[in-house]
Amino acid sequence: MLVLAGTGLGTWAADTWPWPKDRYCWGAWQEDSGPGFLGDEALDDDGSRTGKQTAPTREPPTGRCDVTITGEHKSSYDGDKVSTDQQVSVEYGPVPKAAEARLAMVHDDFLGGDMVPLPDGLPGTVNGRGGLLVLPESCDTQDGRPTVVTMHASGTYTSGPSYIRNDPADLGGARQAAELLVAAANRGMETAGCAPDEPMKVSSPVYDLPGGRERVFSTSDDVCGIRGLHLGTEDIEYQTGVVTRDLQTCSVRNDRDGLPYLQLAMVAQPRLAAVFDGIAGERPAARGWRGTGTTGEKHAIVRADCAGRPTVFLMGASTDLGHLAAFANAAAARMRCAPIAPEGAAR
C-alpha cells in the first residue's frame, strides 16, 4: 500500500531510525512504499535513485518532480556494458492557453485507448505508465483554465554498443499509479494553497478495459466496434478503450511503425470536459453539425449538449471530419441524444 506523506515537505519517517527513508515528489512518496521504482528491486549493485523537484506555490502555481533510477553493470553472458535509465515525472500546472498545445497535451497523451478512468469519480485517467488528474475549481487560474497534475514513467535499457529498448519505471500497475498520482496532487495543492478541506483518495478498483489491440483485416471492417467507421486501409490496429457515460475512447495505430493513425474520444465528465473550455470556437465545425467546433493542424474538437450535459468530441492524428462524425454520432446514439453530425457526414 502506498504510504502518503504525513507532515511538512522533506520530513523523514519517524520509525526508521537510524536510517530514515527518503521521500520524493514534494514529500508525497516514500521509499519502499509499494511501487517497484521506489523499492530496492529497482536498483542493481551499482544503482542509484535520486529526486529533483520544484514545488508549486501560490505564485507561480506550477511545479515538477522527477525520480530517476540509474544503474550500470557488465553482462554475465557476453561481458557487454548494461545500463538502465528510468524516470517518473510529475508536472503540476494549468493547461496551456493555445488550443493545439492543450489538445496535444491532454488528448494525445491521456485519452488514448489504453487509458482508464480514475476511480471514485476523480476527474482523470490512468494506466500502468502514468495518468492525468484535473484539480478542483479552487485551483483554476484567474482566466478560468483548470490546473492538472500529470505523471509519466519512462526509461531505457541499453546493452552493448547498439541494443536499446524501452524500459519504463515500474509504477506497479494502474491502481498503484492512481494512488501515486493522487498523493502527488494532494501535496501539490497543499503547497499551492488551493487544497480542498478533504484530500482526494483512491479507495475503489480501477476500470478494466474490454480488450487489447486488434488488427484490421479488411478496409470495410468497423473500427473500435463503431458501425460505419471505416478507414480504408488494412495496415492498422486499433484498441477499443473506455465506453462509459462519462468517457469513450478509441485509438488506431499504424501496424508497421506503431505511430498514431487516428485517436477519438468523447468526454462528458464535467471537470475533465472543462479542460477543453474555450477552444471549441463559436461556430459549428461544419454545415449541419450541432454545437461548436474547430479543426486545427492535427486535431478537431466539437462541443455540444448531449443528454443534458456539455460533451466534448475529440479527434487527433487526423482532421477528416467524416471519421469524427461516425464516432460522435455513435456515442450520441449510445447516450440517447440527438446526432452531432448531419446524415451523410460519417464515413
Side-chain angles (χ1 to χ4, degrees):
M1 190 65 163
L2 183 67
V3 178
L4 305 186
T7 56
L9 292 179
T11 57
W12 305 109
D15 58 349
T16 55
W17 185 89
W19 302 113
K21 294 183 182 293
D22 288 336
R23 290 193 183 276
Y24 304 94
C25 205
W26 319 312
W29 305 338
Q30 180 177 289
E31 180 185 8
D32 293 329
S33 62
F37 79 97
L38 292 174
D40 290 340
E41 63 268 29
L43 309 177
D44 58 27
D45 292 340
D46 297 317
S48 66
R49 179 171 45 238
T50 58
K52 182 179 179 181
Q53 65 181 27
T54 302
T57 61
R58 293 181 184 272
E59 290 296 335
T62 59
R64 180 182 176 107
C65 67
D66 299 289
V67 179
T68 301
I69 302 104
T70 58
E72 186 175 301
H73 64 273
K74 282 191 175 182
S75 169
S76 59
Y77 174 71
D78 55 16
D80 278 348
K81 174 183 172 182
V82 175
S83 60
T84 57
D85 186 356
Q86 298 176 320
Q87 190 171 72
V88 179
S89 300
V90 173
E91 293 191 65
Y92 179 113
V95 294
K97 290 183 179 180
E100 281 286 334
R102 195 180 310 183
L103 289 166
M105 171 193 169
V106 182
H107 182 210
D108 293 0
D109 292 343
F110 299 106
L111 289 176
D114 61 347
M115 304 295 291
V116 298
L118 287 168
D120 303 301
L122 295 170
T125 59
V126 69
N127 63 14
R129 302 182 308 281
L132 171 144
L133 174 60
V134 186
L135 301 185
E137 290 185 21
S138 58
C139 298
D140 285 0
T141 62
Q142 290 184 352
D143 62 7
R145 284 176 294 143
T147 294
V148 299
V149 177
T150 62
M151 179 175 66
H152 180 67
S154 59
T156 56
Y157 171 95
T158 304
S159 179
S162 59
Y163 180 77
I164 184 170
R165 63 175 170 84
N166 288 331
D167 184 29
D170 179 14
L171 299 181
R175 171 57 189 259
Q176 284 203 320
E179 293 179 351
L180 289 163
L181 179 61
V182 170
N186 283 332
R187 292 311 302 262
M189 288 189 292
E190 287 179 18
T191 65
C194 65
D197 293 337
E198 293 292 330
M200 295 180 288
K201 63 181 180 179
V202 175
S203 58
S204 302
V206 298
Y207 182 96
D208 288 328
L209 285 175
R213 295 181 181 178
E214 297 187 40
R215 284 286 307 277
V216 169
F217 295 101
S218 169
T219 57
S220 61
D221 283 356
D222 290 332
V223 173
C224 287
I226 298 168
R227 183 174 298 178
L229 182 56
H230 304 153
L231 302 184
T233 178
E234 299 175 4
D235 296 327
I236 55 173
E237 60 180 13
Y238 66 85
Q239 182 162 19
T240 302
V242 175
V243 183
T244 70
R245 182 173 177 267
D246 287 337
L247 186 65
Q248 182 174 347
T249 59
C250 165
S251 290
V252 186
R253 293 184 176 273
N254 288 309
D255 185 47
R256 295 178 181 178
D257 55 20
L259 294 176
Y261 185 91
L262 177 67
Q263 293 206 145
L264 297 162
M266 179 281 295
V267 181
Q269 204 284 338
R271 282 301 288 166
L272 188 54
V275 165
F276 304 101
D277 283 352
I279 62 172
E282 299 179 354
R283 298 180 179 180
R287 180 175 295 181
W289 285 62
R290 289 205 299 120
T292 62
T294 59
T295 301
E297 294 181 1
K298 296 181 179 179
H299 302 88
I301 177 172
V302 171
R303 188 181 183 93
D305 181 85
C306 195
R309 297 196 296 173
T311 305
V312 180
F313 302 90
L314 303 161
M315 179 170 63
S318 171
T319 55
D320 187 334
L321 286 180
H323 302 330
L324 184 59
F327 174 78
N329 283 349
R334 182 175 61 83
M335 294 187 291
R336 300 181 179 180
C337 70
I340 305 302
E343 185 176 355
R347 64 175 180 270

